[in-house]
Amino acid sequence: MRNTACLSMIAAAVCCTICLSPQMPAQQSFLLRGRAMKSFHWPDGKRAAVSLSFDDARLSQVDTGLGLFRKLGVRVTFFVQSAHIQERLAGWKQAVADGHEIGNHTVTHPCTGNYAFSLKNALEDYDLREMAEQLDDANTQIRRMLGVTPKTFAYPCGQKFVGRGLDVRSYVPLVADRFLDESSNDPDHQGDSQE
């Protein structure tokens, strides 16, 4: 029963990109006709990639997930809310030791005040300076507690703004200045990255 729940957790988090398949869907084939394929080749003759990521540093991710990932030989990305790491510090240290990537998901997970859970931590009440503090403080806490500096970031609630009305601002430039480029998943459409 526990493994079924874990597999369901993994299935819900799977983000799969399939490229270069001989049975390429018509829509994908149409998109590729207009441009020449560059020189990207999947490693070891692979033709697809699956990326698993989990947000928020939930207890179940280390309590249940780590054992299952180890059993399956899978490495994932955990986008951690740094304020939650201390609750299972040994587990998060084990995640790093097991080779999982630790990404930044802010200190306190601010989202729009349109969500009841975020009324007291609403992005509308932030400005760019305060959002920069969320990013930098999370990196500092993660580095101090886990010994790694995040290279990637996941936007809490997928939202990329602070402020309200005429004062709404994108905080994408703050993220771009601190983390790897969040560009296309298509390896042939990566452009210049910060790697």
Side-chain angles (χ1 to χ4, degrees), residues 166-182:
L166 295 175
D167 294 323
V168 169
R169 298 289 180 266
S170 169
Y171 71 92
V172 170
L174 298 176
V175 172
D177 188 45
R178 291 161 172 79
F179 303 99
L180 293 176
D181 186 11
E182 65 165 24

Side-chain angles (χ1 to χ4, degrees), residues 54-66:
F54 300 86
D55 293 357
D56 304 334
R58 297 179 185 272
L59 302 179
S60 62
Q61 294 168 1
V62 291
D63 292 350
T64 305
L66 286 184

Side-chain angles (χ1 to χ4, degrees), residues 95-114:
V96 171
D98 287 353
H100 299 290
E101 178 186 12
I102 303 296
N104 185 318
H105 200 49
T106 71
V107 177
T108 63
H109 200 281
C111 289
T112 179
N114 292 325

Side-chain angles (χ1 to χ4, degrees), residues 52-165:
L52 299 174
S53 66
F54 300 86
D55 293 357
D56 304 334
R58 297 179 185 272
L59 302 179
S60 62
Q61 294 168 1
V62 291
D63 292 350
T64 305
L66 286 184
L68 180 62
F69 301 142
R70 195 175 306 114
K71 179 180 176 183
L72 296 173
V74 173
R75 289 192 179 84
V76 305
T77 299
F78 293 105
F79 290 104
V80 298
Q81 182 180 341
S82 64
H84 289 175
I85 295 172
Q86 194 64 42
E87 295 175 54
R88 288 289 192 280
L89 184 57
W92 291 111
K93 286 181 176 182
Q94 186 61 54
V96 171
D98 287 353
H100 299 290
E101 178 186 12
I102 303 296
N104 185 318
H105 200 49
T106 71
V107 177
T108 63
H109 200 281
C111 289
T112 179
N114 292 325
Y115 299 132
F117 73 86
S118 194
L119 283 173
K120 294 182 180 174
N121 191 33
L123 282 168
E124 292 87 346
D125 298 330
Y126 278 75
D127 61 26
L128 291 174
R129 180 192 54 77
E130 292 167 318
M131 200 64 210
E133 288 175 8
Q134 280 277 330
L135 303 174
D136 295 339
D137 291 352
N139 269 359
T140 298
Q141 291 172 20
I142 292 165
R143 186 172 36 254
R144 181 178 44 80
M145 289 187 277
L146 302 180
V148 296
T149 300
K151 294 178 181 161
T152 55
F153 177 79
Y155 293 90
C157 302
Q159 297 165 335
K160 302 176 179 183
F161 70 90
V162 296
R164 63 180 80 234

